[in-house]
Amino acid sequence: MLRRGSQALRRFSTGQVCFKNKLKLALIGQSLFGQEVYSHLRKEGHRVVGVFTIPDKDGKADPLALAAEKDGTPVFKFPRWRVKGKTIKEVSEAYRSVGAELNVLPFCTQFIPMDVIDSPKHGSIIYHPSILPRHRGASAINWTLIMGDKKAGLSVFWADDGLDTGPILLQRSCDVEPNDTVDALYNRFLFPEGIKAMVEAVQLIADGKAPRIPQPEEGATYEGIQKKDNAKISWDLSAEVLHNWIRGHDKVPGAWAEINGEMVTFYGSSLLNSSVPPGEPLEIKGAKKPGLVTKNGLVVFGNDGKAVMVRNLQFEDGKMIPASQYFSGGETSVVELTAEELKVAETIKVIWAGILSNIPVIEDSTDFFKSGARSMDVVRLVEEIRQKCGGLQLQNEDVYMATKFQEFIQKVVRKLRGEDQEAELVVDYVSKEVNEMTVKMPYQCFINGQFIDADDGKTYDTINPTDGSTICKVAYASLVDVDKAVAAAKDAFENGEWGRMNARERGRLMYRLADLLEENQEELATIEALDSGAVYTLALKTHIGMSVQTFRYFSGWCDKIQGSTIPINQARPNRNLTFTKKEPLGVCAIIIPWNYPLMMLAWKSAACLAAGNTLVLKPAQVTPLTALKFAELSVKAGFPKGVINIIPGSGGIVGQHLSEHPDIRKLGFTGSTVIGKQIMKSCAVSNLKKVSLELGGKSPLIIFNDCELDKAVRMGMGAVFFNKGENCIAAGRLFVEESIHDEFVTSVVEEIKKMKIGDPLDRSTDHGPQNHMAHLEKLLQYCEAGVKEGATLVYGGRQVQRPGFFMEPTVFTDVEDHMYLAKEESFGPIMVISKFQNGDIDGVLQRANNTEYGLASGVFTRDINKAMYVSEKLEAGTVFINTYNKTDVAAPFGGVKQSGFGKDLGEEALNEYLKTKTVTLEY
């Protein structure tokens, strides 16, 4: 007797074989699973000489019968095979007339007599959805979950006169996921792998290679059929056992409890690992503690004090509602349909009529299930609507939630209109008329899908560096806000839609977000210019443009993250299989700098999200606005609540608490080496969270006398002055070969004089303001130190006399190795030049590497051998040859030494947000 029925493992199987020998088969059974087994066996060349299935029900033929009749295969529909213990003569004669060599029973609810089982040359094989001898009986999948098994699986065995006791032919198994239901486990593994297993088993028999492994009695269990009357929930259980009981009955027969005198069935349970959300108490008969109806569902409690979240409830009349709507009854108003929506409704009515062929007319009150539909018809309905209604994607749950035709049409229409989504995001913007557009800027914390004020109501001013004016007041997040954001991210990862979403859908959301960034690029670039002083044209191309590219690139990685299979020494006489899985870490914190506010967000968060994590991001205190605008766009892209959280505030409060928070599993930081060391220490002391650091730099650029000088001048200036020098890989020190030194310096100064310093929104501006006043003051002090130590100030070194935080592009020469300018990063528009003797390659390399930093480096020469030699010797994460600042989303980026560790961008960035799990099994 059978019930219907990742990576699979095979037990007692000789593996894949070359299909040569074919058999004459009798298929005995029913269901969509039986149909698929039938179709696949025929595709492999086996001849199905007869199909023996159940009679039509309510005028509807079983799917197996439909497929066989369409192919012209003889079909026999017997209500029973025997009477009073004896085989019915007419049935036996009909069976023997087909001359089968093997009986295949993929899913059969009828009792088949032993004379039929033993009749063919090769006997009979049966599919069973458990790892026999465990869970013999008709409710094997239910009991796999009810008992809390960590492994589920299937068996193909030789039929005998016992109940699922025959010798094993082959077995396969899979991990049971924490929130698997009967349907989920069946659809993910037992159905597709069961079909493959049945086909392989038949071929092994055809080739004479099929084993017969006696079932051991040790570990054997038999459990009875689970029906509604014995699926009542007992409340004297731990939360985990309670969860297993509910999911073990989901969807059939459904675990239930009595609420307000009515049987209410629970669906969609998950263990609640986060704090219990607030809600309205609900008395449940027998429960020691009332449940809580929350915005996420019904929370119920085990006898250990831990909690389970239930998503949906079904009443005795068959109506199913979101558990969160229990007190409102799940009622929604009826919407009027447009002409286009009426066409969709008519198409769906035709689909319903095709499935419910026993119903003469589909009316508004027609109930899908009361009219005879079964679970397999739900899959058909969803797939036909997707195929015939322009790709409209429904979930099986949508059918269960709206079983009557009018209710179902209303649900479809709301989905088409997007009304079934969460309530519309409320944003309290600060608006400015600037750059020939209205710029709308969110300014509050973004936590759990909502913009909210800081818990204590505190704010701070964010300043426009172009004129020193206040752009707006921004929420100043507190420790409480950090805890809220982390809790939201944790709940989204462990219990929310994001954790259940398949990788391809995750990639679709990320690609949609990239599209929205591109659609809003002018507004984003304008905000970036206002808040950080970035030149608008550069912001369009780099700050925003590369952010778009980054999300597009990593969206493509979502469904390509994979582990590997590893050959290991076998534990003879047994065999082993070892493989690795790449899994997300959980909640990740990201702390970004102020020089490229949106681009740094994209570099880290895109890889983090692609890997399947949730995140809490702290933008730089002085440049929070594009990060908050990004949060708004993430909602429009469809990201579920809690996946992305943005909390502006200070590093000392928000950043420090993130590094210490016990629920954060990874922290990615870009900033100074001093702060990076403090973060690393806090991450280690708190919970040893994973860390990646992109820190300070003093990147050397070596210019040889055989270079293309005009290009070296142009590129050298870009290496220093790009983005006002506020560039982590900026060339902190130029080494120019003696014979071209003076010409190089003269050319640089001539080009600087041509640069236009001014309003970053002016399209002709080359050089905008420094990011904030404190940074400008630091740069002026840097120049003063250089002059005092004896370096030659060739050009600049002063603040531009105009409103705002502008500094002249600056050039120092005669910088010796011991000087402050030679050792420390300026992070501004200051070119530091040292000359080196002609031909002294190893000498200049030694000087270039004489730094504790190692982020980037560069070399200009026409000699490819020299270039390659220098690139090998430079101690840096990136080496540019005859170019500079050429980063790409596909190329990994990161430093060595005290410039940090870990990579942004490229495939390597994904590894910063993944953990590797090794699985070894014996078979």
Side-chain angles (χ1 to χ4, degrees), residues 517-528:
L517 291 172
E518 189 170 52
E519 289 170 19
N520 293 271
Q521 61 182 335
E522 289 85 3
E523 184 179 19
L524 287 164
T526 302
I527 297 172
E528 202 93 319

Side-chain angles (χ1 to χ4, degrees), residues 341 344 389 392 411-420:
E341 290 164 351
V344 173
C389 297
L392 175 61
K411 190 165 192 66
V412 168
V413 169
R414 288 191 174 92
K415 188 172 282 285
L416 284 169
R417 297 179 183 181
E419 294 174 8
D420 64 330

Side-chain angles (χ1 to χ4, degrees), residues 367-435:
D367 188 288
F368 192 67
F369 295 103
K370 290 180 180 178
S371 299
R374 290 165 286 177
S375 57
M376 69 185 74
D377 296 314
V378 174
V379 177
R380 175 180 167 184
L381 176 60
V382 169
E383 288 303 308
E384 278 202 62
I385 289 174
R386 182 183 62 80
Q387 185 181 57
K388 297 177 180 178
C389 297
L392 175 61
Q393 187 63 60
L394 300 177
Q395 303 299 321
N396 292 1
E397 201 169 82
D398 293 326
V399 185
Y400 291 107
M401 299 282 277
T403 60
K404 294 181 179 179
F405 183 73
Q406 185 186 41
E407 294 174 352
F408 186 74
I409 292 299
Q410 292 284 309
K411 190 165 192 66
V412 168
V413 169
R414 288 191 174 92
K415 188 172 282 285
L416 284 169
R417 297 179 183 181
E419 294 174 8
D420 64 330
Q421 303 300 315
E422 298 287 349
E424 185 178 350
L425 178 68
V426 176
V427 188
D428 188 9
Y429 297 107
V430 170
S431 298
K432 288 190 178 295
E433 296 295 329
V434 62
N435 201 24

Side-chain angles (χ1 to χ4, degrees), residues 731-746:
R733 192 177 181 192
L734 276 67
F735 295 92
V736 182
E737 199 158 6
E738 188 173 21
S739 60
I740 61 168
H741 173 274
D742 293 348
E743 184 180 358
F744 179 86
V745 172
T746 300

Side-chain angles (χ1 to χ4, degrees), residues 19-268:
F19 290 177
K20 294 179 180 178
N21 306 306
K22 305 301 170 188
L23 294 176
K24 292 190 291 182
L25 308 175
L27 250 75
I28 305 175
Q30 64 213 68
S31 79
L32 186 62
F33 181 72
Q35 174 195 318
E36 289 295 318
V37 171
Y38 162 82
S39 299
H40 280 74
L41 287 170
R42 291 186 78 248
K43 285 179 183 177
E44 295 299 333
H46 298 287
R47 182 184 172 196
V48 180
V49 293
V51 165
F52 298 83
T53 186
I54 58 175
D56 296 354
K57 183 178 180 181
D58 297 324
K60 291 178 58 181
D62 183 82
L64 174 57
L66 286 173
E69 288 168 347
K70 183 179 179 182
D71 294 332
T73 301
V75 176
F76 303 86
K77 301 177 181 180
F78 300 131
R80 64 186 62 84
W81 288 70
R82 65 179 189 170
V83 174
K84 296 182 179 180
K86 293 185 178 181
T87 305
I88 299 171
K89 181 179 178 182
E90 294 79 5
V91 174
S92 176
E93 289 175 351
Y95 165 75
R96 295 179 192 282
S97 69
V98 302
E101 298 172 318
L102 174 70
N103 290 333
V104 178
L105 286 73
F107 172 68
C108 183
T109 57
Q110 296 178 314
F111 188 91
I112 310 301
M114 282 307 300
D115 59 330
V116 173
I117 292 291
D118 294 334
S119 176
K121 172 184 175 181
H122 296 292
S124 302
I125 59 170
I126 304 177
Y127 167 87
H128 187 78
S130 80
I131 308 172
L132 292 172
R134 189 163 173 79
H135 303 311
R136 293 168 176 165
S139 294
I141 313 175
N142 303 80
W143 285 104
T144 297
L145 298 175
I146 292 169
M147 300 303 291
D149 292 0
K150 302 302 181 185
K151 289 281 186 181
L154 60 92
S155 304
V156 179
F157 66 96
W158 298 93
D160 66 3
D161 58 0
L163 185 61
D164 304 330
T165 57
I168 300 296
L169 196 161
L170 64 80
Q171 293 183 315
R172 295 179 183 175
S173 73
C174 70
D175 293 331
V176 176
E177 300 296 335
N179 295 319
D180 269 340
T181 62
V182 174
D183 279 357
L185 187 57
Y186 179 68
N187 292 330
R188 187 183 82 246
F189 182 82
L190 297 172
F191 182 89
E193 294 301 322
I195 295 165
K196 296 176 187 175
M198 290 299 282
V199 173
E200 181 178 345
V202 170
Q203 191 59 49
L204 287 170
I205 295 168
D207 293 337
K209 297 180 180 180
R212 293 175 180 261
I213 311 297
Q215 289 190 37
E217 283 308 308
E218 182 181 355
T221 64
Y222 172 81
E223 296 91 5
I225 297 175
Q226 282 307 96
K227 296 183 178 179
K228 198 71 176 183
D229 57 0
N230 58 10
K232 186 176 181 180
I233 298 169
S234 170
W235 293 102
D236 191 23
L237 303 170
S238 69
E240 183 175 0
V241 176
L242 190 63
H243 167 56
N244 287 337
W245 182 264
I246 296 171
R247 70 182 179 134
H249 293 84
D250 185 345
K251 291 282 192 285
V252 178
W256 61 276
E258 186 177 326
I259 302 176
N260 293 325
E262 182 178 8
M263 178 192 290
V264 179
T265 306
F266 290 23
Y267 295 112

